[in-house]
């Protein structure tokens, strides 16, 4: 019974080629074996040697040959053919692995995607078309299976990029004893009905505006912060160290008319001031005093002067007090009243 217990892997590639493999080093350590097969039925079988061996470290570990019928018998013997180590009879149709789907087309409308492919020539009823998809936000593939050879799915977001892949599967256990599927068709990338090279393009296209806005905000902040610091520094400087006025704005005529020549500017300024004084007519001033004698005595001592009037202020209760009603001297004059001396020089008034 150990002969039937040997584990072998049997694959019928689309009912075109058969591949049978075994674990050579584990099952037959240190031995090399030979393989033969037949698709004939009945007593008169014609055994054929393996046309193409699969090797594992120079040991025969499998055989690849053409599929010629639904019933297959195999035999594994010692390399010299003297002893049979393993034999088995099977239905080759139950080990079919389909080919990849051909001429796959995508149809995207609104939120629905329909995928279809060409119908195989054989056993279409045993085949199912499987569609798998995922967006960049999905960690695992989402799967949808339908009869060959069209499958549709709803709920796709036109703003997202999706990866799609399809394959054909054989029904188990009605058509196959082993769950064989074809290899995946080449993965494609779609977004709102548009074929893309990859979903990385979508990520880049969406991230570019974000990067640009972030850079602009960073630049604006870098420009705004120094301006704020500069304004605060200027305010601080003004509060601690007030600005010194520039003389060229105060004495604008000194720099504009005399090119900074101070002597020329002061001479002209004095001349203009003298002209102003000569043209100015001083109003008459009268001094009224309570003590006429003291006034006349002071007047004789001081010499000729303008008429200046002092009127006493009764509210001060000071007999020597006086109220100045008008004091507009034009020449050097000294007036003495109520114990005070008033020096009048041009437009300067000094009480001594």
């Amino acid at each position: 019974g150990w002969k039937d217990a040997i584990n072998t892997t049997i694959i019928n590639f689309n009912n075109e080629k058969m591949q049978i493999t075994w674990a050579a080093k584990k099952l037959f350590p240190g031995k090399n074996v030979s393989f033969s097969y037949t698709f004939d039925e009945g007593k008169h079988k014609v055994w054929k040697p393996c046309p193409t061996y699969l090797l594992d470290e120079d040991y025969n570990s499998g055989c690849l040959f053409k599929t010629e019928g639904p019933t297959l018998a195999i035999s594994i013997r010692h390399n010299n053919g003297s002893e049979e180590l393993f034999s088995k009879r099977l239905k080759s149709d139950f080990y079919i692995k389909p080919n990849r789907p051909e001429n796959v087309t995508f149809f995207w409308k609104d939120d629905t995607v329909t995928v279809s492919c060409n119908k195989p020539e054989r056993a279409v009823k045993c085949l199912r078309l499987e569609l798998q998809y995922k967006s960049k936000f999905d960690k695992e593939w989402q799967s949808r299976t339908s009869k060959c050879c069209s499958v549709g799915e709803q709920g796709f977001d036109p703003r997202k990029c999706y990866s799609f892949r399809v394959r054909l599967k054989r029904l188990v256990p009605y058509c196959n004893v082993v769950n064989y599927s074809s290899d995946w068709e080449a993965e494609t990338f779609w977004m709102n009905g548009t074929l893309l090279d990859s979903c990385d393009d979508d990520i880049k296209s969406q991230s570019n505006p974000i990067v640009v806005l972030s850079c602009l905000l960073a630049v604006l902040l870098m420009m705004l912060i120094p301006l704020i610091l500069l304004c605060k520094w200027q305010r601080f400087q003004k509060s601690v160290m007030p600005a010194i006025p520039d003389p060229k704005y105060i004495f604008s005529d000194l720099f504009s008319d005399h090119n900074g020549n101070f002597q020329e500017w002061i001479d002209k300024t004095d001349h203009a001031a003298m002209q102003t004084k000569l043209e100015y007519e001083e109003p008459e001033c009268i001094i009224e005093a309570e003590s006429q004698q003291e006034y006349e005595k002071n007047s004789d001592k001081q010499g000729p002067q303008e008429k200046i009037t002092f009127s006493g202020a009764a509210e001060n209760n000071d007999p020597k007090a006086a109220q100045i009603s008008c004091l507009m001297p034009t020449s050097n004059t000294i007036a003495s009243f109520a114990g005070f001396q008033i020096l009048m020089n041009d437009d300067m008034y000094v009480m001594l």
Side-chain angles (χ1 to χ4, degrees):
W2 67 272
K3 293 181 180 180
D4 295 333
I6 293 177
N7 190 14
T8 57
T9 302
I10 304 169
I11 304 175
N12 184 356
F13 291 103
N14 199 39
N15 213 19
E16 295 173 357
K17 287 186 178 181
M18 298 289 301
Q19 176 181 289
I20 300 177
T21 57
W22 57 87
K25 292 190 296 183
K26 181 179 179 180
L27 297 175
F28 315 110
K31 297 180 181 180
N32 210 350
V33 296
S34 61
F35 179 87
S36 58
Y37 68 96
T38 181
F39 286 95
D40 297 331
E41 298 182 7
K43 296 180 180 180
H44 304 285
K45 297 178 181 179
V46 178
W47 293 89
K48 297 180 181 179
C50 177
T52 305
Y53 278 105
L54 304 176
L55 302 179
D56 182 10
E57 297 182 0
D58 296 331
Y59 288 94
N60 296 335
S61 62
C63 182
L64 185 64
F65 54 95
K66 184 179 179 180
T67 304
E68 298 176 1
T71 304
L72 173 64
I74 61 176
S75 175
I76 298 176
R77 295 175 176 271
H78 279 295
N79 198 20
N80 55 15
S82 59
E83 181 184 359
E84 187 178 68
L85 302 176
F86 175 75
S87 63
K88 188 174 183 177
R89 190 170 179 268
L90 53 96
K91 290 288 186 179
S92 62
D93 291 346
F94 287 169
Y95 296 87
I96 293 177
K97 179 179 180 179
N99 289 339
R100 292 178 180 178
E102 298 178 353
N103 194 22
V104 178
T105 58
F106 285 81
F107 179 73
W108 188 310
K109 183 178 180 180
D110 298 331
D111 65 339
T112 303
V113 174
T114 303
V115 183
S116 59
C117 67
N118 290 347
K119 289 184 178 181
E121 296 179 357
R122 303 175 182 176
V124 177
K125 295 181 179 180
C126 290
L127 296 175
R128 294 293 181 266
L129 182 63
E130 181 182 10
L131 168 67
Q132 287 192 347
Y133 59 90
K134 68 176 180 179
S135 70
K136 57 180 177 291
F137 303 103
D138 300 325
K139 294 182 179 180
E140 297 181 354
W141 290 94
Q142 309 296 319
S143 184
R144 180 80 167 87
T145 304
S146 181
K147 292 182 179 181
C148 187
C149 291
S150 177
V151 58
E153 182 67 9
Q154 296 178 338
F156 291 96
D157 189 345
R159 297 170 298 179
K160 295 181 181 180
C161 178
Y162 292 89
S163 303
F164 292 94
R165 63 182 185 181
V166 293
R167 66 180 178 181
L168 291 172
K169 298 179 64 175
R170 288 273 295 185
L171 287 177
V172 177
Y174 305 104
C175 300
N176 262 32
V177 296
V178 182
N179 189 9
Y180 281 149
S181 301
S182 70
D183 295 334
W184 290 104
E185 181 63 15
E187 187 175 346
T188 56
F189 307 92
W190 294 79
M191 179 178 178
N192 196 22
T194 302
L195 179 64
L196 303 176
D197 293 334
S198 69
C199 283
D200 293 337
D201 298 337
D202 174 52
I203 295 173
K204 291 179 181 178
S205 63
Q206 292 184 358
S207 62
N208 282 339
I210 298 175
V211 172
V212 172
L213 290 177
S214 301
C215 293
L216 289 176
L217 289 176
V219 171
L220 290 176
L221 287 176
M222 291 177 65
M223 296 175 61
L224 185 61
I225 291 174
L227 289 176
I228 294 174
L229 294 177
L230 181 61
C231 292
K232 289 185 176 294
W233 174 248
Q234 290 179 348
R235 291 181 182 178
F236 175 76
Q237 279 187 325
K238 288 182 180 179
S239 62
V240 176
M241 297 177 291
I244 299 174
D246 193 339
K248 70 179 181 180
Y249 298 109
I250 300 175
F251 308 102
S252 59
D253 54 345
L254 172 62
F255 296 94
S256 62
D257 299 339
H258 304 283
N259 295 325
N261 191 329
F262 181 78
Q263 188 62 43
E264 180 182 339
W265 175 75
I266 197 66
D267 292 342
K268 186 176 181 180
T269 303
D270 289 344
H271 179 71
M274 185 62 68
Q275 292 292 332
T276 303
K277 289 180 180 179
L278 292 175
E279 294 176 0
Y280 179 73
E281 182 179 355
E282 298 176 349
E284 182 180 0
C285 295
I286 302 174
I287 299 176
E288 296 178 358
E290 293 180 356
S291 179
Q292 184 66 26
Q293 294 177 356
E294 187 176 356
Y295 169 74
E296 292 175 356
K297 190 183 294 184
N298 292 333
S299 300
D300 294 336
K301 292 179 181 180
Q302 300 298 330
Q305 59 184 0
E306 299 290 333
K307 290 182 179 182
I308 304 175
T309 301
F310 287 91
S311 62
E315 64 273 12
N316 294 332
N317 296 322
D318 188 351
K320 295 181 180 183
Q323 178 180 1
I324 299 175
S325 61
C326 181
L327 185 60
M328 302 293 290
T330 58
S331 61
N332 294 343
T333 305
I334 297 177
S336 176
F337 185 77
F340 296 94
Q341 288 184 347
I342 301 175
L343 175 62
M344 295 166 284
N345 182 10
D346 294 340
D347 57 348
M348 298 291 293
Y349 313 100
V350 181
M351 182 176 287
L352 304 176

